[in-house]
Amino acid sequence: MELPEVEVMRRDLEKDVVGRRIGKVDVRPQKNALTIIKKHHRTRKEFAGLLEGRKITGIERRGKYLLVKLDDDSVLVVHFKMSGRFVRGRKGSELQPHTHVHIEFAQGGDLRFVDPRAFGRMFVAPADKLETMAELQKIGIDPLEHTFTWPEFSAKLAERRMKLKPLLMDQEFIAGLGNIYSDEVLFAAGLRHDRKSDELSSQEVRRLYRAIQEVVQDAIRFRGTTLEDQAYVDLFGNPGENLTELKVYGRRGLACRRCRSPIEMVKISGRGSYFCPVCQT
DNA sequence: GTTTAACCCTGCACGC
DNA sequence: TGCGTGCAGGGTTAAA
């Protein structure tokens, strides 16, 4: 899940769970359930105890991190990684496989953290400690924030000497882009993945800046990208509609939507990276 | 500072 | 049919 999917999830949760009080919390018995919380919590009970009885007061997002704010000034921090997601359930309905954390609400209904690959992570921490925690301290500028300005972006690009694709995916540099949207951004900007960040013309920097905002905003408008594997669906189980909007990701060998040349794929540090060899220079 | 690779994990596509 | 293999992917960590 990348920024747009986390943002859609944030907005859904904001409408649906803010104001609810948490009843019983169950970290499920399977080993993977413990894996998800164990970095910051020794036992299932400790984690559950920090949530039980609390009221949800707001939902925020930092890059790909989701922050569930609680009424005792603590925060449930969630990272969905690849296959994690929240599912709204009805009381008493069966838990689907790979449900690792089950949060019941006092007034009925529940929230389930489901994650087949168990890469996702959750922890509870005091709000005032968040800024000093390793996970969130290093988060870079968020492309939806008003602080993401062209002059600042331009200056930051110039002080690095990295290839654009890994730089766009670096969460310390800019927060929220993953493998799918970094490819889409580079296509929208007409730039190759291996162009160096400090060797762009000011026109190219501006194209890149615009592309980031457009790709992210469009993906949110289409409620995120649901690939064939259905790894991402929204809070209520509905797929996003951004898949058909993708210009390059997953389209190896297919005709470029702009120039009809075949889309190419190369491996960049283990990740498939898609681009048009004609449109991107 | 930059670059690469391994690791975590399951589901699925593939070949034999 | 059934098995083994390889791949997907975000972030962390280690190593080159």
Side-chain angles (χ1 to χ4, degrees), chain A residues 105-119:
Chain A
F105 294 119
Q107 56 273 70
D110 63 23
L111 188 63
R112 300 133 185 232
F113 185 75
V114 178
D115 187 357
R117 288 175 211 176
F119 279 13

Side-chain angles (χ1 to χ4, degrees), chain A residues 33-149:
Chain A
L34 195 58
T35 303
I36 282 160
I37 61 158
K38 76 178 173 194
K39 186 170 180 197
H40 293 272
H41 305 286
R42 285 198 190 148
T43 64
R44 293 171 164 82
K45 211 169 242 182
E46 182 202 311
F47 175 82
L50 292 168
L51 293 175
E52 286 174 349
R54 300 276 58 84
K55 193 174 185 178
I56 296 174
T57 56
I59 316 284
E60 294 179 8
R61 183 186 55 74
R62 302 268 175 83
K64 300 176 194 171
Y65 282 91
L66 186 82
L67 309 182
V68 179
K69 309 203 84 176
L70 304 170
D71 63 355
D72 64 346
D73 290 322
S74 67
V75 183
L76 169 63
V77 181
V78 183
H79 199 301
F80 298 100
K81 293 276 184 96
M82 317 248 331
S83 58
R85 61 194 183 94
F86 272 132
V87 178
R88 278 285 271 135
R90 292 188 181 180
K91 203 168 191 173
S93 70
E94 204 174 316
L95 299 181
Q96 64 177 281
H98 309 296
T99 300
H100 301 304
V101 179
H102 186 204
I103 299 169
E104 292 184 284
F105 294 119
Q107 56 273 70
D110 63 23
L111 188 63
R112 300 133 185 232
F113 185 75
V114 178
D115 187 357
R117 288 175 211 176
F119 279 13
R121 295 292 179 263
M122 301 176 111
F123 62 89
V124 182
D128 57 9
K129 288 250 175 75
L130 238 44
E131 306 305 327
T132 62
M133 300 190 76
E135 287 90 344
L136 292 154
Q137 196 177 35
K138 299 187 294 184
I139 293 284
I141 196 162
D142 193 297
L144 291 186
E145 288 289 321
H146 67 277
T147 49
F148 179 59
T149 62

Side-chain angles (χ1 to χ4, degrees), chain A residues 227-259:
Chain A
L227 299 172
E228 313 294 334
D229 65 3
Q230 299 273 310
Y232 167 76
V233 289
D234 72 15
L235 184 59
F236 308 102
N238 305 120
E241 289 164 2
N242 197 56
L243 179 63
T244 52
E245 303 300 313
L246 299 183
K247 308 295 190 292
V248 285
Y249 183 83
R251 293 178 49 81
R252 171 157 62 164
L254 299 176
C256 171
R257 298 188 174 212
R258 239 188 96 221
C259 77

Side-chain angles (χ1 to χ4, degrees), chain A residues 111-209:
Chain A
L111 188 63
R112 300 133 185 232
F113 185 75
V114 178
D115 187 357
R117 288 175 211 176
F119 279 13
R121 295 292 179 263
M122 301 176 111
F123 62 89
V124 182
D128 57 9
K129 288 250 175 75
L130 238 44
E131 306 305 327
T132 62
M133 300 190 76
E135 287 90 344
L136 292 154
Q137 196 177 35
K138 299 187 294 184
I139 293 284
I141 196 162
D142 193 297
L144 291 186
E145 288 289 321
H146 67 277
T147 49
F148 179 59
T149 62
W150 180 71
E152 177 146 352
F153 181 64
S154 182
K156 283 189 70 182
L157 274 175
E159 67 190 34
R160 299 292 291 267
R161 295 185 165 203
M162 270 175 74
K163 291 175 180 174
L164 290 179
K165 163 95 176 178
L167 186 60
L168 289 177
M169 287 180 64
D170 182 348
Q171 302 302 299
E172 290 185 48
F173 181 73
I174 182 168
L177 300 178
N179 203 37
I180 296 174
Y181 294 114
S182 57
D183 280 1
E184 293 299 315
V185 162
L186 288 170
F187 177 83
L191 295 168
R192 276 180 67 100
H193 55 83
D194 54 0
R195 289 287 301 279
K196 290 288 185 69
S197 59
D198 60 339
E199 293 171 2
L200 300 180
S201 69
S202 61
Q203 196 183 24
E204 288 173 327
V205 171
R206 186 167 275 283
R207 289 207 315 254
L208 187 57
Y209 174 73

Side-chain angles (χ1 to χ4, degrees), chain A residues 165 179 183 192-194 252 263-275:
Chain A
K165 163 95 176 178
N179 203 37
D183 280 1
R192 276 180 67 100
H193 55 83
D194 54 0
R252 171 157 62 164
I263 298 299
E264 288 182 15
M265 194 272 268
V266 290
K267 286 267 184 182
I268 297 175
S269 54
R271 262 89 176 160
S273 299
Y274 301 84
F275 66 102

